[in-house]
Amino acid sequence: SAPGDAAPLLVKTASFTVKKVGQSSPYISASNQLRVTLMTNVGIQAVGSDLTAGVTLTGLSGFTNADGDLTIDNRGYNSVGDIFSKATWNKAEARLVLSIAAGKQLQASTLYVLGVTLTNPATGQASPAISISQTGSTAATIAAVAVDPGSGDKAPLYVKAPGFETGRVGQSSSSPAGVNTITVTLQSNLAITASAQVTIEGLVNTRTDDSLAMSVSGCAGIFKSPAGVANQGKWDRAAGRLVVVA
């Protein structure tokens, strides 16, 4: 008999040959574009009177959007704009359905890349287990299988807990009784909003008295004292604590 696909009555089992899912942002409460890259080994389209064919992603736990239809953005060279009619989000079931438009088809062995933007949760979390399947009445169906997630910050629905990615403290002098400038370097993994308080403590055993107007330099106009005076902070000698407000 003929080899490979030419073998008589050989029928391929429908499957996703590419099923990657990533994201654009790992930050709390941020707009996050879920990026889906897929390819199937057979064409997928609705058959008969049932026009509910589509691709379903489940396990998207954490997105805060209310139920409803979302915009699908084309992210690749094969346009998805006229192939998918809509993306429908169900929060309670953590499910996103990409519906194929009537008369349209996902071509076999063709790479499609699309994005759907949702909103991350307000707390950090690990990337959940996400599955992809082909749904609706079609000539070929594909059971749910695990997606291939992005790594690191690109892992879908990985959300960083708020924190400092950089936190360094140094000094200008080690001389006894000498004037010593303490230098603090900070980088947070999210925007620090106005009125947020930043506290640095543990700077004990200094000879600098308490002050409501400790001079803070190097970040002109960024920080102020709790009393609202720019470029100043509140210093507590006993606690070794400096408090500034963004």
Side-chain angles (χ1 to χ4, degrees):
S1 62
D5 289 352
L9 282 175
L10 169 68
V11 179
K12 290 182 178 180
T13 300
S15 66
F16 291 103
T17 54
V18 178
K19 45 185 173 58
K20 299 177 181 178
V21 179
Q23 67 175 11
S24 64
S25 175
Y27 300 115
I28 62 169
S29 303
S31 292
N32 185 5
Q33 186 171 84
L34 197 68
R35 294 176 177 173
V36 182
T37 303
L38 58 87
M39 180 189 294
T40 58
N41 65 343
V42 295
I44 297 177
Q45 69 179 102
V47 295
S49 60
D50 185 353
L51 299 178
T52 61
V55 173
T56 296
L57 294 165
T58 55
L60 299 171
S61 303
F63 285 132
T64 61
N65 303 68
D67 293 356
D69 293 340
L70 302 170
T71 300
I72 298 176
D73 296 318
N74 184 56
R75 304 293 304 181
Y77 50 85
N78 292 309
S79 177
V80 298
D82 62 346
I83 296 176
F84 291 103
S85 59
K86 61 182 178 179
T88 303
W89 168 246
N90 184 302
K91 181 180 179 181
E93 297 182 8
R95 182 185 68 214
L96 183 69
V97 178
L98 308 171
S99 298
I100 298 175
K104 301 297 180 180
Q105 180 180 26
L106 287 180
Q107 300 293 330
S109 303
T110 301
L111 193 69
Y112 296 96
V113 186
L114 59 94
V116 179
T117 300
L118 295 109
T119 303
N120 282 342
T123 56
Q125 66 174 42
S127 178
I130 299 170
S131 295
I132 187 170
S133 62
Q134 178 276 309
T135 53
S137 177
T138 65
T141 59
I142 305 175
V145 291
V147 303
D148 298 320
S151 59
D153 289 354
K154 299 299 183 182
L157 266 166
Y158 163 62
V159 180
K160 293 184 177 181
F164 289 105
E165 295 181 338
T166 301
R168 296 193 298 269
V169 180
Q171 65 176 11
S172 63
S173 175
S174 60
S175 298
V179 175
N180 189 6
T181 299
I182 301 298
T183 301
V184 180
T185 304
L186 299 175
Q187 181 180 356
S188 66
N189 64 1
L190 75 166
I192 296 178
T193 58
S195 300
Q197 180 174 291
V198 177
T199 301
I200 301 161
E201 55 187 351
L203 303 172
V204 295
N205 300 323
T206 73
R207 298 175 61 198
T208 303
D209 292 331
D210 291 356
S211 174
L212 298 176
M214 171 73 74
S215 176
V216 177
S217 62
C219 296
I222 300 297
F223 293 110
K224 58 190 175 184
S225 69
V229 181
N231 305 318
Q232 292 185 358
K234 179 183 177 182
W235 168 249
D236 183 322
R237 175 182 176 182
R241 180 189 301 120
L242 177 66
V243 178
V244 295
V245 178

